[in-house]
Amino acid sequence: MGILNKLFGGKKGGNVMPTTETMPDDQFWNIIHLSHKKANGDFEDQQHALNDELRRLAPQDIFLFDNKFRKLRGEAYTWDLWGAIYIIHGGCSDDSFMDFRDWVIAQGKDFYYRTLCNPESLVDVDSERIDIDWEGMGYIPNMAFKEITGNEIPSVQVENNEIIGEEWDEDSDDLKNRFPLLWTKYS
């Protein structure tokens, strides 16, 4: 490794200031919107489009994007959202629930906030479109960062890892009572 890489942390300015700050909302959601629009709903295409968009940014901005993505995914870690997808797919593991939350973010700002405020609004979305196997979106910022800098993205804890809200019991009528429209459509 050359002296410049040792001093500056990689190929191109990979030395970032670890922080819990996140990318501003407008900038973050614009990047998500562009990647979603370019992909026409295709998961693989959206990953590539997001990677392309992120590689245009400075390493510090990729880091801030990653923080924002993780913060939003943590805010979506709710019993209500998990209950809704549990009904739709007839079950949902914790790993699949994380992938589903990535999918919700990837659909864009309006979809994300509408779904968080009212998970039962998913009743209006074609079930073929609702995905719990979107593993990969959360990895894209690190991939882009590594391509630019040669280094892993720094890890800072910004994601909520404690599930929020009122727990439901899958062996009771909790989900049926909490989400009657989803229950009627998918049970």
Side-chain angles (χ1 to χ4, degrees):
M1 179 184 281
I3 188 75
L4 290 177
N5 283 349
K6 287 181 182 176
L7 290 173
F8 296 106
K11 297 177 185 175
K12 187 169 101 174
N15 196 16
V16 301
M17 295 297 298
T19 178
T20 57
E21 285 184 49
T22 64
M23 179 175 273
D25 275 3
D26 289 346
Q27 185 180 8
F28 177 86
W29 288 114
N30 186 52
I31 292 168
I32 293 293
H33 173 75
L34 290 171
S35 71
H36 186 264
K37 184 177 176 183
K38 288 177 183 178
N40 283 332
D42 182 271
F43 169 61
E44 295 292 328
D45 289 347
Q46 188 167 5
Q47 287 186 51
H48 293 296
L50 180 59
N51 191 33
D52 291 345
E53 291 300 321
L54 293 178
R55 286 192 339 245
R56 291 185 176 107
L57 302 176
Q60 184 74 34
D61 289 333
I62 298 172
F63 176 71
L64 296 176
F65 177 94
D66 186 56
N67 278 355
K68 183 69 168 185
F69 189 93
R70 292 177 187 290
K71 185 174 187 289
L72 291 168
R73 186 169 62 196
E75 290 172 358
Y77 192 31
T78 69
W79 281 108
D80 279 350
L81 190 57
W82 200 345
I85 195 62
Y86 193 94
I87 293 169
I88 293 167
H89 278 278
C92 183
S93 70
D94 55 349
D95 285 344
S96 291
F97 184 48
M98 183 165 64
D99 297 341
F100 169 69
R101 289 179 285 143
D102 288 358
W103 176 80
V104 171
I105 294 167
Q107 304 313 297
K109 180 180 181 178
D110 292 342
F111 186 89
Y112 173 83
Y113 287 111
R114 180 177 56 252
T115 303
L116 248 59
C117 288
N118 180 14
E120 198 162 36
S121 68
L122 290 168
V123 75
D124 297 325
V125 179
D126 180 6
S127 64
E128 296 296 316
R129 213 179 121 224
I130 300 172
D131 206 324
I132 60 173
D133 296 317
W134 265 59
E135 184 177 9
M137 284 302 283
Y139 304 136
I140 300 301
N142 188 56
M143 287 175 48
F145 189 88
K146 193 168 186 175
E147 287 172 15
I148 290 173
T149 68
N151 298 320
E152 298 287 324
I153 202 165
S155 178
V156 176
Q157 182 59 38
V158 294
E159 186 168 349
N160 168 46
N161 291 312
E162 297 292 325
I163 193 159
I164 303 164
E166 184 180 337
E167 185 174 357
W168 42 264
D169 178 2
E170 65 187 287
D171 295 323
S172 72
D173 285 342
D174 286 354
L175 292 174
K176 179 181 180 180
N177 294 334
R178 199 177 295 189
F179 302 110
L181 298 175
L182 286 171
W183 188 264
T184 298
K185 184 174 180 177
Y186 292 104
S187 67

